[in-house]
Amino acid sequence: MILKFNEYLEKINEGLIKSYDIDFVIDKASQNLSLLNVNFDLKKLPNNSIKLTLFSFNKIYIDKVFNFLKLAFGFYYSRLINKPVQIGLPFFISIEPTTSCNLRCPQCPSGLREFTRPTGMLQNQLFEKIILQTKKHLHSLTFYFQGEPYLNPDFLKMVSFANDNNIFTITSTNAHYLTEENAKQTVLSKLDKLIISVDGITQEVYEKYRIGGQYSKVIEGTKEILRQKRLLNSSTPHVVWQFVVFKTNEHQIEAVKKLGKELGVDEVKIKTAQIYDFENGHDLIPENEEYSRYKKSDSGNTDSNRYELKNKLLNQCWRMWQGCVITWDGKVVPCCFDKDATHRLGNLQTQSFREIWQSEAYRDFRNQLTNGRKNIDICSNCSEGLKVWEQ
């Protein structure tokens, strides 16, 4: 049955099925996997990946569709046999331009200056080496892990290089460095998606979490990037206002939606917050549980102030199949929850990407995950399987 599925994928790769006939490809792949008694729908992959990430049509190529289907097959087949099977290469990667940041956000290791790993700036030579090794299968690249990307002087050169290699580019910023020139160069770099962190629409509320920040700069930066898009007659970047909900700002949710619309941003997204040490409650956990990743514990504990994750910690994780995170100095770690890079699976300074992705260390980590995810420290506060964004 696996052979039949791979034969079908080869037909896709040979161009016998057109890359634009996406629904046919998805449905046919689902039918083939049903032969293995795997009941799933590719259209319902975690985070709606197939619609939001892979099929950004201006960056789609048949090799990438072929690779994505192999990843999806490996993920669901691994769930069936309870053993990791990885036959594709990642279509999504996050890379860290820098660990430096101008703000002091209290739930961020960069803001708290609490890294135990080395800190620094991603160098262009290493970045280009990574892109050249991954461009054939990589669809989306997020220029963010920790730190403020615009502090790296080569950041926009890297964006341009990735776009020249047909990779969909995304970044997240606090907007304090979106000056006229930076905004212009951002548009010219052909960055596809720009996420701007707002988290408050008055200085009083904004600075409760974005410590050291100026709300006025967020507004100025937003207006400038939108102005440059108009001046340069560009449809990109797609500008997203991201509002992470805390107890301190939950009363401004409707107001931020209204303001974003008035300013003309492409999208306003409401996101739940990751809170460290949530078990005993925290001043930042919203009162409205709809906007929280956590709930009051119902485990029978008499302490009414105990909290737990809303989602069950299942022994599966799409992130381990679809992508990874690369630190500024080339270390490959499993995902964005490993903020201090404690689970280092390889180093791109000395190894190739394929070598790391298919290494014994990576296989061992995936095996740990499929056999006991609760025993992996970075999984204890993970949002996998949980609605993080307001629908």
Side-chain angles (χ1 to χ4, degrees):
M1 294 175 184
I2 299 174
L3 180 60
K4 288 181 180 179
F5 185 73
N6 282 334
E7 287 174 352
Y8 171 71
L9 292 179
E10 289 296 339
K11 289 181 180 180
I12 298 174
N13 200 38
E14 291 167 6
L16 298 179
I17 296 173
K18 304 300 182 184
S19 62
Y20 55 76
D21 195 359
I22 298 305
D23 287 333
F24 177 79
V25 172
I26 297 169
D27 291 340
K28 192 67 176 176
S30 297
Q31 290 168 21
N32 275 271
L33 281 171
S34 70
L35 294 174
L36 296 169
N37 295 317
V38 182
N39 182 21
F40 82 104
D41 183 351
L42 272 169
K43 295 176 184 176
K44 294 180 180 179
L45 277 171
N47 300 319
N48 206 10
S49 301
I50 207 159
K51 293 294 183 186
L52 296 182
T53 308
L54 181 65
F55 299 125
S56 303
F57 288 98
N58 63 329
K59 301 287 173 68
I60 186 170
Y61 294 89
I62 194 64
D63 286 350
K64 296 181 182 182
V65 175
F66 176 63
N67 178 67
F68 178 84
L69 292 175
K70 290 197 292 185
L71 288 173
F73 173 77
F75 174 64
Y76 283 102
Y77 187 60
S78 297
R79 289 174 59 181
L80 177 68
I81 66 173
N82 197 36
K83 181 179 179 181
V85 175
Q86 179 58 280
I87 56 175
L89 290 161
F91 72 89
F92 171 83
I93 287 175
S94 288
I95 196 163
E96 183 177 58
T98 181
T99 51
S100 301
C101 189
N102 53 310
L103 303 185
R104 300 290 189 275
C105 303
Q107 291 292 308
C108 174
S110 180
L112 293 170
R113 310 304 194 256
E114 288 186 345
F115 289 120
T116 60
R117 63 181 171 100
T119 57
M121 299 273 182
L122 174 64
Q123 298 302 302
N124 202 47
Q125 183 178 5
L126 175 60
F127 173 76
E128 291 187 2
K129 174 185 173 183
I130 293 168
I131 294 301
L132 293 176
Q133 288 185 21
T134 58
K135 65 178 183 177
K136 288 185 178 180
H137 56 82
L138 185 62
H139 173 269
S140 300
L141 177 65
T142 294
F143 286 88
Y144 181 74
F145 179 29
Q146 301 298 302
E148 168 53 47
Y150 280 88
L151 288 174
N152 187 320
D154 291 328
F155 163 55
L156 292 174
K157 293 179 184 177
M158 296 177 190
V159 173
S160 293
F161 187 80
N163 273 290
D164 289 344
N165 283 279
N166 301 307
I167 297 169
F168 189 86
T169 52
I170 309 163
T171 198
S172 181
T173 178
N174 59 46
H176 282 55
Y177 298 96
L178 284 178
T179 60
E180 179 179 357
E181 182 60 21
N182 278 346
K184 178 181 178 181
Q185 292 304 319
T186 298
V187 176
L188 292 175
S189 75
K190 299 181 181 178
L191 178 73
D192 290 294
K193 185 175 180 180
L194 178 66
I195 301 169
I196 296 176
S197 298
V198 185
D199 304 347
I201 59 168
T202 61
Q203 178 63 26
E204 179 185 9
V205 172
Y206 178 79
E207 67 183 1
K208 285 182 178 177
Y209 186 75
R210 299 286 170 181
I211 296 171
Q214 297 180 44
Y215 170 66
S216 60
K217 284 189 175 291
V218 179
I219 298 300
E220 291 167 9
T222 300
K223 289 180 177 179
E224 190 58 45
I225 194 71
L226 295 173
R227 187 175 79 91
Q228 291 297 331
K229 282 179 65 176
R230 290 192 298 270
L231 289 174
L232 297 168
N233 192 29
S234 176
S235 61
T236 57
H238 181 82
V239 178
V240 179
W241 257 17
Q242 178 178 277
F243 187 87
V244 180
V245 182
F246 302 101
K247 186 175 182 179
T248 54
N249 66 6
E250 61 184 317
H251 62 287
Q252 292 188 336
I253 291 174
E254 294 307 315
V256 75
K257 293 177 183 178
K258 180 181 178 182
L259 181 57
K261 186 176 181 179
E262 290 173 355
L263 290 174
V265 300
D266 297 298
E267 198 175 354
V268 177
K269 300 199 75 171
I270 310 300
K271 186 180 181 182
T272 59
Q274 180 189 19
I275 306 293
Y276 294 112
D277 303 321
F278 64 87
E279 293 90 347
N280 295 314
H282 196 285
D283 291 342
L284 289 173
I285 296 178
E287 292 184 0
N288 186 342
E289 200 171 278
E290 178 184 354
Y291 296 106
S292 176
R293 300 183 187 187
Y294 315 98
K295 63 179 181 177
K296 290 286 186 70
S297 177
D298 56 6
S299 60
N301 195 310
T302 56
D303 186 352
S304 61
N305 291 319
R306 294 286 294 178
Y307 283 78
E308 62 186 13
L309 278 168
K310 288 180 179 178
N311 57 307
K312 293 182 179 179
L313 205 62
L314 303 176
N315 292 335
Q316 61 188 49
C317 183
W318 172 234
R319 296 170 193 250
M320 291 302 97
W321 272 256
Q322 59 96 6
C324 65
V325 173
I326 301 172
T327 64
W328 68 273
D329 54 351
K331 296 182 181 71
V332 176
V333 298
C335 72
C336 61
F337 285 91
D338 191 6
K339 300 183 189 305
D340 209 24
T342 55
H343 298 272
R344 300 171 186 180
L345 302 172
N347 194 322
L348 289 162
Q349 301 269 16
T350 57
Q351 298 168 276
S352 72
F353 189 90
R354 185 181 291 269
E355 179 186 353
I356 295 170
W357 187 250
Q358 298 174 345
S359 68
E360 184 176 350
Y362 233 125
R363 287 196 298 272
D364 287 346
F365 190 85
R366 293 189 187 103
N367 195 53
Q368 288 179 52
L369 187 145
T370 55
N371 286 285
R373 190 159 161 242
K374 66 180 181 180
N375 299 318
I376 303 175
D377 55 348
I378 60 172
C379 296
S380 64
N381 197 0
C382 176
S383 59
E384 179 75 10
L386 181 69
K387 186 181 79 170
V388 173
W389 305 94
E390 181 185 66
Q391 302 298 313

mmCIF file of all heavy atoms in Angstrom, residues 196-210 214-216 218-219 241-246 248-253 255-256 259:
data_model
loop_
_atom_site.group_PDB
_atom_site.id
_atom_site.type_symbol
_atom_site.label_atom_id
_atom_site.label_comp_id
_atom_site.label_asym_id
_atom_site.label_seq_id
_atom_site.Cartn_x
_atom_site.Cartn_y
_atom_site.Cartn_z
ATOM 1 N N ILE A 196 2.598 42.639 12.859
ATOM 2 C CA ILE A 196 2.946 43.721 13.786
ATOM 3 C C ILE A 196 2.267 43.456 15.124
ATOM 4 O O ILE A 196 1.047 43.321 15.210
ATOM 5 C CB ILE A 196 2.502 45.094 13.233
ATOM 6 C CG1 ILE A 196 3.270 45.402 11.938
ATOM 7 C CG2 ILE A 196 2.713 46.193 14.267
ATOM 8 C CD1 ILE A 196 2.826 46.689 11.257
ATOM 9 N N SER A 197 3.061 43.371 16.181
ATOM 10 C CA SER A 197 2.526 43.133 17.520
ATOM 11 C C SER A 197 1.967 44.428 18.102
ATOM 12 O O SER A 197 2.674 45.437 18.160
ATOM 13 C CB SER A 197 3.623 42.585 18.441
ATOM 14 O OG SER A 197 4.103 41.353 17.958
ATOM 15 N N VAL A 198 0.712 44.374 18.516
ATOM 16 C CA VAL A 198 0.057 45.580 19.040
ATOM 17 C C VAL A 198 -0.122 45.464 20.551
ATOM 18 O O VAL A 198 0.487 46.205 21.317
ATOM 19 C CB VAL A 198 -1.298 45.826 18.334
ATOM 20 C CG1 VAL A 198 -1.896 47.147 18.804
ATOM 21 C CG2 VAL A 198 -1.127 45.833 16.831
ATOM 22 N N ASP A 199 -0.979 44.580 21.013
ATOM 23 C CA ASP A 199 -1.148 44.245 22.439
ATOM 24 C C ASP A 199 -1.599 45.410 23.315
ATOM 25 O O ASP A 199 -1.349 45.416 24.526
ATOM 26 C CB ASP A 199 0.135 43.641 23.016
ATOM 27 C CG ASP A 199 0.615 42.416 22.249
ATOM 28 O OD1 ASP A 199 -0.159 41.903 21.434
ATOM 29 O OD2 ASP A 199 1.758 41.991 22.455
ATOM 30 N N GLY A 200 -2.252 46.402 22.708
ATOM 31 C CA GLY A 200 -2.781 47.526 23.469
ATOM 32 C C GLY A 200 -2.951 48.730 22.575
ATOM 33 O O GLY A 200 -2.103 48.959 21.704
ATOM 34 N N ILE A 201 -4.041 49.485 22.741
ATOM 35 C CA ILE A 201 -4.266 50.631 21.852
ATOM 36 C C ILE A 201 -4.255 51.958 22.611
ATOM 37 O O ILE A 201 -4.742 52.973 22.118
ATOM 38 C CB ILE A 201 -5.565 50.481 21.040
ATOM 39 C CG1 ILE A 201 -6.778 50.339 21.972
ATOM 40 C CG2 ILE A 201 -5.467 49.287 20.100
ATOM 41 C CD1 ILE A 201 -8.091 50.483 21.242
ATOM 42 N N THR A 202 -3.673 51.926 23.800
ATOM 43 C CA THR A 202 -3.312 53.146 24.521
ATOM 44 C C THR A 202 -1.929 52.890 25.109
ATOM 45 O O THR A 202 -1.553 51.733 25.342
ATOM 46 C CB THR A 202 -4.296 53.470 25.664
ATOM 47 O OG1 THR A 202 -4.280 52.379 26.613
ATOM 48 C CG2 THR A 202 -5.714 53.686 25.138
ATOM 49 N N GLN A 203 -1.171 53.942 25.362
ATOM 50 C CA GLN A 203 0.162 53.762 25.924
ATOM 51 C C GLN A 203 0.085 53.055 27.277
ATOM 52 O O GLN A 203 0.892 52.172 27.575
ATOM 53 C CB GLN A 203 0.873 55.108 26.078
ATOM 54 C CG GLN A 203 2.262 55.034 26.697
ATOM 55 C CD GLN A 203 3.264 54.234 25.871
ATOM 56 O OE1 GLN A 203 3.134 54.119 24.655
ATOM 57 N NE2 GLN A 203 4.262 53.669 26.534
ATOM 58 N N GLU A 204 -0.896 53.403 28.069
ATOM 59 C CA GLU A 204 -1.039 52.826 29.406
ATOM 60 C C GLU A 204 -1.199 51.309 29.344
ATOM 61 O O GLU A 204 -0.562 50.571 30.102
ATOM 62 C CB GLU A 204 -2.239 53.443 30.122
ATOM 63 C CG GLU A 204 -2.468 52.889 31.518
ATOM 64 C CD GLU A 204 -3.734 53.425 32.168
ATOM 65 O OE1 GLU A 204 -4.532 54.094 31.482
ATOM 66 O OE2 GLU A 204 -3.930 53.158 33.370
ATOM 67 N N VAL A 205 -2.037 50.834 28.447
ATOM 68 C CA VAL A 205 -2.275 49.397 28.332
ATOM 69 C C VAL A 205 -1.119 48.715 27.596
ATOM 70 O O VAL A 205 -0.646 47.655 28.013
ATOM 71 C CB VAL A 205 -3.610 49.127 27.603
ATOM 72 C CG1 VAL A 205 -3.777 47.638 27.294
ATOM 73 C CG2 VAL A 205 -4.773 49.611 28.451
ATOM 74 N N TYR A 206 -0.650 49.326 26.525
ATOM 75 C CA TYR A 206 0.419 48.746 25.701
ATOM 76 C C TYR A 206 1.675 48.460 26.525
ATOM 77 O O TYR A 206 2.269 47.383 26.438
ATOM 78 C CB TYR A 206 0.752 49.696 24.553
ATOM 79 C CG TYR A 206 1.884 49.236 23.663
ATOM 80 C CD1 TYR A 206 1.687 48.268 22.690
ATOM 81 C CD2 TYR A 206 3.172 49.777 23.798
ATOM 82 C CE1 TYR A 206 2.725 47.837 21.870
ATOM 83 C CE2 TYR A 206 4.217 49.356 22.981
ATOM 84 C CZ TYR A 206 3.986 48.387 22.022
ATOM 85 O OH TYR A 206 5.017 47.969 21.218
ATOM 86 N N GLU A 207 2.089 49.403 27.361
ATOM 87 C CA GLU A 207 3.356 49.265 28.077
ATOM 88 C C GLU A 207 3.280 48.313 29.271
ATOM 89 O O GLU A 207 4.304 47.974 29.857
ATOM 90 C CB GLU A 207 3.845 50.634 28.555
ATOM 91 C CG GLU A 207 2.987 51.277 29.623
ATOM 92 C CD GLU A 207 3.483 52.675 29.992
ATOM 93 O OE1 GLU A 207 4.475 53.122 29.397
ATOM 94 O OE2 GLU A 207 2.855 53.308 30.875
ATOM 95 N N LYS A 208 2.072 47.852 29.608
ATOM 96 C CA LYS A 208 1.967 46.894 30.704
ATOM 97 C C LYS A 208 2.617 45.568 30.329
ATOM 98 O O LYS A 208 3.124 44.853 31.195
ATOM 99 C CB LYS A 208 0.501 46.677 31.084
ATOM 100 C CG LYS A 208 -0.081 47.847 31.874
ATOM 101 C CD LYS A 208 -1.518 47.591 32.286
ATOM 102 C CE LYS A 208 -2.042 48.761 33.101
ATOM 103 N NZ LYS A 208 -3.467 48.579 33.461
ATOM 104 N N TYR A 209 2.579 45.225 29.041
ATOM 105 C CA TYR A 209 3.298 44.034 28.594
ATOM 106 C C TYR A 209 4.521 44.400 27.767
ATOM 107 O O TYR A 209 5.606 43.873 27.986
ATOM 108 C CB TYR A 209 2.393 43.098 27.780
ATOM 109 C CG TYR A 209 3.114 41.813 27.444
ATOM 110 C CD1 TYR A 209 3.308 40.845 28.429
ATOM 111 C CD2 TYR A 209 3.669 41.603 26.188
ATOM 112 C CE1 TYR A 209 4.027 39.686 28.150
ATOM 113 C CE2 TYR A 209 4.381 40.445 25.898
ATOM 114 C CZ TYR A 209 4.560 39.493 26.892
ATOM 115 O OH TYR A 209 5.276 38.350 26.630
ATOM 116 N N ARG A 210 4.352 45.301 26.810
ATOM 117 C CA ARG A 210 5.467 45.719 25.951
ATOM 118 C C ARG A 210 6.303 46.766 26.688
ATOM 119 O O ARG A 210 6.315 47.954 26.344
ATOM 120 C CB ARG A 210 4.944 46.276 24.629
ATOM 121 C CG ARG A 210 4.140 45.269 23.823
ATOM 122 C CD ARG A 210 5.028 44.235 23.177
ATOM 123 N NE ARG A 210 4.272 43.130 22.593
ATOM 124 C CZ ARG A 210 4.815 42.089 21.983
ATOM 125 N NH1 ARG A 210 6.128 42.008 21.872
ATOM 126 N NH2 ARG A 210 4.068 41.120 21.491
ATOM 127 N N GLN A 214 6.798 52.092 22.864
ATOM 128 C CA GLN A 214 5.972 53.279 22.659
ATOM 129 C C GLN A 214 4.847 52.948 21.683
ATOM 130 O O GLN A 214 5.104 52.627 20.514
ATOM 131 C CB GLN A 214 6.806 54.434 22.114
ATOM 132 C CG GLN A 214 7.898 54.911 23.055
ATOM 133 C CD GLN A 214 8.695 56.047 22.458
ATOM 134 O OE1 GLN A 214 8.138 56.983 21.873
ATOM 135 N NE2 GLN A 214 10.018 55.965 22.588
ATOM 136 N N TYR A 215 3.625 53.047 22.141
ATOM 137 C CA TYR A 215 2.466 52.754 21.310
ATOM 138 C C TYR A 215 2.430 53.648 20.074
ATOM 139 O O TYR A 215 2.069 53.197 18.981
ATOM 140 C CB TYR A 215 1.195 52.928 22.141
ATOM 141 C CG TYR A 215 -0.072 52.883 21.334
ATOM 142 C CD1 TYR A 215 -0.472 51.707 20.697
ATOM 143 C CD2 TYR A 215 -0.866 54.018 21.200
ATOM 144 C CE1 TYR A 215 -1.637 51.674 19.953
ATOM 145 C CE2 TYR A 215 -2.030 53.988 20.453
ATOM 146 C CZ TYR A 215 -2.414 52.810 19.828
ATOM 147 O OH TYR A 215 -3.566 52.773 19.086
ATOM 148 N N SER A 216 2.870 54.879 20.238
ATOM 149 C CA SER A 216 2.854 55.813 19.106
ATOM 150 C C SER A 216 3.732 55.315 17.956
ATOM 151 O O SER A 216 3.426 55.518 16.780
ATOM 152 C CB SER A 216 3.320 57.202 19.550
ATOM 153 O OG SER A 216 4.647 57.150 20.061
ATOM 154 N N VAL A 218 4.228 52.182 17.150
ATOM 155 C CA VAL A 218 3.496 51.109 16.487
ATOM 156 C C VAL A 218 2.545 51.698 15.445
ATOM 157 O O VAL A 218 2.465 51.221 14.307
ATOM 158 C CB VAL A 218 2.713 50.262 17.503
ATOM 159 C CG1 VAL A 218 1.923 49.161 16.792
ATOM 160 C CG2 VAL A 218 3.651 49.646 18.532
ATOM 161 N N ILE A 219 1.845 52.754 15.827
ATOM 162 C CA ILE A 219 0.916 53.410 14.910
ATOM 163 C C ILE A 219 1.669 54.056 13.751
ATOM 164 O O ILE A 219 1.296 53.904 12.579
ATOM 165 C CB ILE A 219 0.074 54.474 15.651
ATOM 166 C CG1 ILE A 219 -0.776 53.803 16.749
ATOM 167 C CG2 ILE A 219 -0.827 55.221 14.672
ATOM 168 C CD1 ILE A 219 -1.745 52.764 16.237
ATOM 169 N N TRP A 241 -2.114 42.906 12.005
ATOM 170 C CA TRP A 241 -2.001 43.355 13.393
ATOM 171 C C TRP A 241 -2.272 42.162 14.292
ATOM 172 O O TRP A 241 -3.336 41.542 14.218
ATOM 173 C CB TRP A 241 -3.019 44.460 13.676
ATOM 174 C CG TRP A 241 -2.413 45.824 13.704
ATOM 175 C CD1 TRP A 241 -1.218 46.218 13.211
ATOM 176 C CD2 TRP A 241 -3.027 46.986 14.266
ATOM 177 N NE1 TRP A 241 -1.024 47.546 13.429
ATOM 178 C CE2 TRP A 241 -2.122 48.048 14.077
ATOM 179 C CE3 TRP A 241 -4.236 47.241 14.896
ATOM 180 C CZ2 TRP A 241 -2.386 49.343 14.506
ATOM 181 C CZ3 TRP A 241 -4.519 48.522 15.331
ATOM 182 C CH2 TRP A 241 -3.591 49.566 15.144
ATOM 183 N N GLN A 242 -1.315 41.828 15.149
ATOM 184 C CA GLN A 242 -1.477 40.704 16.074
ATOM 185 C C GLN A 242 -1.678 41.227 17.493
ATOM 186 O O GLN A 242 -0.826 41.932 18.032
ATOM 187 C CB GLN A 242 -0.245 39.795 16.025
ATOM 188 C CG GLN A 242 -0.312 38.622 16.998
ATOM 189 C CD GLN A 242 0.902 37.739 16.873
ATOM 190 O OE1 GLN A 242 0.973 36.869 16.013
ATOM 191 N NE2 GLN A 242 1.894 37.959 17.733
ATOM 192 N N PHE A 243 -2.799 40.867 18.071
ATOM 193 C CA PHE A 243 -3.154 41.310 19.419
ATOM 194 C C PHE A 243 -3.164 40.095 20.328
ATOM 195 O O PHE A 243 -4.061 39.251 20.259
ATOM 196 C CB PHE A 243 -4.532 41.977 19.379
ATOM 197 C CG PHE A 243 -4.963 42.643 20.657
ATOM 198 C CD1 PHE A 243 -4.612 43.956 20.923
ATOM 199 C CD2 PHE A 243 -5.751 41.972 21.581
ATOM 200 C CE1 PHE A 243 -5.033 44.596 22.095
ATOM 201 C CE2 PHE A 243 -6.172 42.595 22.752
ATOM 202 C CZ PHE A 243 -5.809 43.908 23.005
ATOM 203 N N VAL A 244 -2.122 39.946 21.154
ATOM 204 C CA VAL A 244 -2.038 38.834 22.097
ATOM 205 C C VAL A 244 -2.813 39.217 23.357
ATOM 206 O O VAL A 244 -2.563 40.259 23.954
ATOM 207 C CB VAL A 244 -0.573 38.501 22.442
ATOM 208 C CG1 VAL A 244 -0.507 37.338 23.426
ATOM 209 C CG2 VAL A 244 0.202 38.147 21.174
ATOM 210 N N VAL A 245 -3.753 38.362 23.736
ATOM 211 C CA VAL A 245 -4.691 38.721 24.812
ATOM 212 C C VAL A 245 -4.139 38.359 26.189
ATOM 213 O O VAL A 245 -3.801 37.201 26.462
ATOM 214 C CB VAL A 245 -6.044 38.026 24.596
ATOM 215 C CG1 VAL A 245 -7.033 38.446 25.691
ATOM 216 C CG2 VAL A 245 -6.608 38.360 23.215
ATOM 217 N N PHE A 246 -4.090 39.367 27.048
ATOM 218 C CA PHE A 246 -3.748 39.212 28.460
ATOM 219 C C PHE A 246 -4.889 39.801 29.303
ATOM 220 O O PHE A 246 -5.780 40.473 28.766
ATOM 221 C CB PHE A 246 -2.449 39.953 28.789
ATOM 222 C CG PHE A 246 -1.260 39.510 27.987
ATOM 223 C CD1 PHE A 246 -0.804 40.250 26.906
ATOM 224 C CD2 PHE A 246 -0.586 38.340 28.313
ATOM 225 C CE1 PHE A 246 0.299 39.853 26.162
ATOM 226 C CE2 PHE A 246 0.524 37.925 27.574
ATOM 227 C CZ PHE A 246 0.969 38.689 26.505
ATOM 228 N N THR A 248 -4.569 42.240 31.102
ATOM 229 C CA THR A 248 -4.368 43.690 31.079
ATOM 230 C C THR A 248 -4.975 44.374 29.855
ATOM 231 O O THR A 248 -5.170 45.586 29.853
ATOM 232 C CB THR A 248 -2.857 44.007 31.108
ATOM 233 O OG1 THR A 248 -2.207 43.304 30.032
ATOM 234 C CG2 THR A 248 -2.248 43.578 32.428
ATOM 235 N N ASN A 249 -5.252 43.597 28.779
ATOM 236 C CA ASN A 249 -5.743 44.254 27.558
ATOM 237 C C ASN A 249 -7.009 43.630 26.974
ATOM 238 O O ASN A 249 -7.478 44.052 25.908
ATOM 239 C CB ASN A 249 -4.646 44.245 26.485
ATOM 240 C CG ASN A 249 -4.283 42.848 25.989
ATOM 241 O OD1 ASN A 249 -4.907 41.859 26.353
ATOM 242 N ND2 ASN A 249 -3.251 42.768 25.168
ATOM 243 N N GLU A 250 -7.570 42.614 27.639
ATOM 244 C CA GLU A 250 -8.703 41.901 27.052
ATOM 245 C C GLU A 250 -9.918 42.801 26.822
ATOM 246 O O GLU A 250 -10.754 42.511 25.951
ATOM 247 C CB GLU A 250 -9.088 40.679 27.887
ATOM 248 C CG GLU A 250 -9.520 40.969 29.308
ATOM 249 C CD GLU A 250 -9.777 39.676 30.089
ATOM 250 O OE1 GLU A 250 -10.399 38.745 29.529
ATOM 251 O OE2 GLU A 250 -9.348 39.589 31.255
ATOM 252 N N HIS A 251 -9.997 43.913 27.544
ATOM 253 C CA HIS A 251 -11.116 44.840 27.355
ATOM 254 C C HIS A 251 -10.995 45.651 26.064
ATOM 255 O O HIS A 251 -11.943 46.344 25.677
ATOM 256 C CB HIS A 251 -11.212 45.795 28.547
ATOM 257 C CG HIS A 251 -9.994 46.661 28.727
ATOM 258 N ND1 HIS A 251 -8.797 46.179 29.201
ATOM 259 C CD2 HIS A 251 -9.794 47.986 28.484
ATOM 260 C CE1 HIS A 251 -7.914 47.156 29.251
ATOM 261 N NE2 HIS A 251 -8.490 48.266 28.825
ATOM 262 N N GLN A 252 -9.855 45.538 25.366
ATOM 263 C CA GLN A 252 -9.644 46.321 24.145
ATOM 264 C C GLN A 252 -9.754 45.488 22.860
ATOM 265 O O GLN A 252 -9.436 45.981 21.771
ATOM 266 C CB GLN A 252 -8.265 46.995 24.196
ATOM 267 C CG GLN A 252 -8.147 48.079 25.259
ATOM 268 C CD GLN A 252 -6.843 48.855 25.165
ATOM 269 O OE1 GLN A 252 -5.837 48.365 24.634
ATOM 270 N NE2 GLN A 252 -6.843 50.070 25.680
ATOM 271 N N ILE A 253 -10.237 44.268 22.965
ATOM 272 C CA ILE A 253 -10.287 43.382 21.791
ATOM 273 C C ILE A 253 -11.125 43.980 20.665
ATOM 274 O O ILE A 253 -10.673 44.058 19.511
ATOM 275 C CB ILE A 253 -10.821 41.986 22.185
ATOM 276 C CG1 ILE A 253 -9.787 41.265 23.053
ATOM 277 C CG2 ILE A 253 -11.138 41.165 20.928
ATOM 278 C CD1 ILE A 253 -10.269 39.940 23.625
ATOM 279 N N ALA A 255 -12.040 47.044 20.269
ATOM 280 C CA ALA A 255 -11.496 48.351 19.870
ATOM 281 C C ALA A 255 -10.311 48.199 18.926
ATOM 282 O O ALA A 255 -10.143 48.985 17.986
ATOM 283 C CB ALA A 255 -11.094 49.146 21.107
ATOM 284 N N VAL A 256 -9.468 47.176 19.149
ATOM 285 C CA VAL A 256 -8.307 46.993 18.271
ATOM 286 C C VAL A 256 -8.752 46.523 16.886
ATOM 287 O O VAL A 256 -8.154 46.897 15.867
ATOM 288 C CB VAL A 256 -7.276 46.022 18.889
ATOM 289 C CG1 VAL A 256 -7.720 44.561 18.798
ATOM 290 C CG2 VAL A 256 -5.912 46.175 18.215
ATOM 291 N N LEU A 259 -9.914 49.742 15.171
ATOM 292 C CA LEU A 259 -8.812 50.624 14.811
ATOM 293 C C LEU A 259 -8.020 50.056 13.638
ATOM 294 O O LEU A 259 -7.626 50.806 12.726
ATOM 295 C CB LEU A 259 -7.891 50.830 16.020
ATOM 296 C CG LEU A 259 -6.686 51.755 15.800
ATOM 297 C CD1 LEU A 259 -7.133 53.135 15.337
ATOM 298 C CD2 LEU A 259 -5.840 51.846 17.070
#
